[in-house]
Amino acid sequence: MADVAVIGAQWGDEGKGKIVDWLSARADVVVRFQGGHNAGHTLVVDGEVYKLSLLPSGVVRQDRLGVIGPGVVVDPFALLDEIDRLRQQGLEITPDNLAIAENATLILSVHQELDAMREASHSGVKIGTTKRGIGPAYEDRAGRRALRVVDLAYPDTLGEKVEHLLAHHNALRRGHGVAEIDGASLIARLKEVAPKIAPFAKPAWRLLNDARRAGKRILFEGAQGVLLDVDHGTYPFVTSSNTVAGQAASGSGLGPGAVDYVLAIVKAYTTRVGKGPFPTELDDALGQKLGERGHEFGTVTGRKRRCGWFDAALVKQSCRIAGVSGIALTKLDVLDGFDRLNVCVGYDINGTKYDYLPSAREAQAAARPIYETMDGWSGSTENARSWADLPAEAVKYARRIEELIETPISLVSTSPERDDVILMRDPFQG
């Protein structure tokens, strides 16, 4: 059986949570391999809504092991809050069904404050971050001054590690005219939270390698989307980690051969949160209609998402970059009742036609979509569980997307409910 990596092929918010939850019924282990609690996954199970940020989506199935890999940056306080919230909804999160990589980087309050200071600054590029401290934590990891989960187990040496970290951060804070961080207070908070996090800390690489050797199925869960990848996305309006499928290996502790099938989640239209280029954006009544019908508000921030037509050129680009095997087409039901649907097949950039989005910010800002128009449908696709349940025009729309992105459809999701899925090909079958 194949091990599967699930990623987003757009700017995130494609509906990965539901698909990962659906696939986790066929998996033994679900592992998050990048990002932090800036991710937002909403699951609807028997009418109960679960909102996840840092925990792997598989935790809603109590007999699955969830793993937070070393490629993830972990806010220990946010993690404990999320665990408590799910416990109030009847889910038990214990060291028996959740493991945190001991070498994962910690997000601290100093990171969140730096994130907010930069966004509020009158200089530099406004990225539109979630102000969760994700970027600054990754910066400290690259600068080799970060604290990691395992450091919480050594309180006697915590002081010198915090001192090393604050030598950098307090210099930045002085530059912003902000009071320096009190190291003693930070150390006290970390010592307080340490006993609550310690039981979950494990050598994730060993757990995952043992699981693979035992023949267990592993599901790798990505956050955000390819277009937000720090190398391959619409830079600088991106996240601070690699979101492509290749990160599943290094972000978990398994070799690249561990991923047998890459499933990209693709929304039937396009959305984006925050700033940055968006060639097919609809800043009109149609865009508002998409947002209202799709309930397009961020799970983490509550921010209204920007909405627009499906961009086949960008999704094809994402599928090539990430080595996608097949896609899960989500939120098809949101398009019910539209008379006509536009699909972007390329761009006009200052009079030159492109079938991909160039890397230059100037070119991305100037990109004007080239559309192909298709008939919409008046019937309902909601709750459909087979192609026969779909209006003919909806089938044509899905099949045309397959052709344009040159990648087959494996699944179609037709509502937020767990079982409203049309299965074309089981990713775990390879």
Side-chain angles (χ1 to χ4, degrees):
M1 295 295 179
D3 289 333
V4 178
V6 176
I7 61 170
Q10 293 155 305
W11 281 293
D13 309 310
E14 301 96 348
K16 291 183 291 296
K18 172 195 168 169
I19 300 299
V20 170
D21 171 57
W22 189 85
L23 288 170
S24 68
R26 297 160 170 78
D28 300 296
V29 182
V30 182
V31 53
R32 273 281 307 272
F33 59 83
Q34 52 77 216
H37 64 307
N38 56 340
H41 296 162
T42 300
L43 311 180
V44 181
V45 182
D46 298 328
E48 182 78 24
V49 179
Y50 301 98
K51 293 184 181 292
L52 308 179
S53 293
L54 191 55
L55 291 169
S57 296
V59 298
V60 298
R61 299 183 184 271
Q62 295 287 269
D63 56 346
R64 302 296 188 270
L65 174 64
V67 178
I68 297 175
V72 179
V73 285
V74 178
D75 181 330
F77 302 98
L79 175 62
L80 292 174
D81 285 345
E82 189 172 336
I83 289 173
D84 286 342
R85 188 174 70 248
L86 290 180
R87 282 175 176 161
Q88 292 172 16
Q89 291 185 269
L91 296 180
E92 279 302 313
I93 311 297
T94 72
D96 292 328
N97 61 7
L98 175 67
I100 307 171
E102 61 186 6
N103 53 333
T105 295
L106 292 175
I107 299 176
L108 307 174
S109 57
V110 65
H111 298 126
Q112 295 160 349
E113 291 172 16
L114 178 58
D115 219 350
M117 283 189 290
R118 286 174 171 168
E119 282 294 301
S121 173
H122 295 295
S123 61
V125 177
K126 302 294 188 296
I127 305 298
T129 77
T130 58
K131 301 183 182 68
R132 296 298 197 271
I134 310 298
Y138 275 117
E139 288 176 34
D140 283 344
R141 186 180 75 166
R144 298 177 296 280
R145 57 182 167 263
L147 272 68
R148 302 186 300 171
V149 171
V150 71
D151 292 325
L152 297 176
Y154 296 88
D156 292 342
T157 57
L158 201 55
E160 62 189 64
K161 294 170 184 175
V162 168
E163 183 180 358
H164 178 56
L165 176 72
L166 294 185
H168 171 79
H169 278 274
N170 280 335
L172 290 176
R173 295 172 73 89
R174 287 194 296 271
H176 280 278
V178 177
E180 295 184 11
I181 291 289
D182 176 21
S185 176
L186 177 55
I187 292 168
R189 291 198 73 203
L190 291 174
K191 287 183 177 180
E192 180 183 346
V193 80
K196 301 175 184 178
I197 295 294
F200 296 99
K202 306 282 177 58
W205 65 270
R206 184 169 183 170
L207 280 178
L208 294 171
N209 275 276
D210 287 350
R212 192 158 193 265
R213 286 176 178 272
K216 294 184 177 180
R217 291 179 177 178
I218 301 174
L219 182 61
F220 301 88
E221 179 183 6
Q224 290 87 41
V226 173
L227 300 177
L228 291 174
D229 185 278
V230 69
D231 292 316
H232 304 289
T234 49
Y235 189 89
F237 304 99
V238 293
T239 195
S240 299
S241 61
N242 288 111
T243 61
V244 293
Q247 178 64 18
S250 61
S252 64
L254 288 167
V259 179
D260 303 297
Y261 193 95
V262 179
L263 181 70
I265 314 303
V266 177
K267 193 180 286 185
Y269 50 101
T270 309
T271 63
R272 174 162 206 171
V273 172
K275 300 181 182 299
F278 187 170
T280 66
E281 183 173 12
L282 293 169
D283 191 16
D284 58 13
L286 281 175
Q288 185 172 346
K289 181 179 178 181
L290 280 173
E292 290 173 352
R293 297 203 57 192
H295 305 289
E296 296 296 350
F297 296 90
T299 301
V300 171
T301 64
R303 286 185 295 179
K304 182 178 179 182
R305 296 177 187 139
R306 301 155 64 190
C307 298
W309 296 120
F310 185 81
D311 193 329
L314 265 180
V315 172
K316 178 180 176 181
Q317 188 170 330
S318 292
C319 288
R320 296 280 181 85
I321 289 168
V324 172
S325 310
I327 71 164
L329 187 65
T330 65
K331 290 202 167 185
L332 186 64
D333 54 302
V334 174
L335 299 180
D336 292 353
F338 281 80
D339 295 329
R340 307 286 284 175
L341 301 170
N342 287 330
V343 176
C344 176
V345 296
Y347 313 99
D348 183 316
I349 303 176
N350 299 322
T352 301
K353 291 185 178 180
Y354 289 80
D355 62 358
Y356 70 98
L357 191 65
S359 296
R361 285 173 60 186
E362 294 80 3
Q364 292 174 358
R368 299 295 175 262
I370 299 171
Y371 285 124
E372 179 179 302
T373 302
M374 300 181 64
D375 290 331
W377 53 89
S378 57
S380 174
T381 64
E382 190 172 4
N383 308 123
R385 298 186 182 181
S386 73
W387 283 111
D389 296 333
L390 298 177
E393 292 82 3
V395 174
K396 289 179 183 178
Y397 182 77
R399 292 304 190 191
R400 183 56 179 151
I401 284 176
E402 270 188 319
E403 293 174 356
L404 290 171
I405 67 174
E406 298 178 1
T407 307
I409 293 176
S410 297
L411 308 164
V412 180
S413 172
T414 56
S415 92
E417 288 291 341
R418 171 183 277 176
D419 295 321
D420 286 341
V421 172
I422 301 171
L423 177 63
M424 302 298 296
R425 179 182 180 182
D426 188 344
F428 282 113
Q429 300 297 325

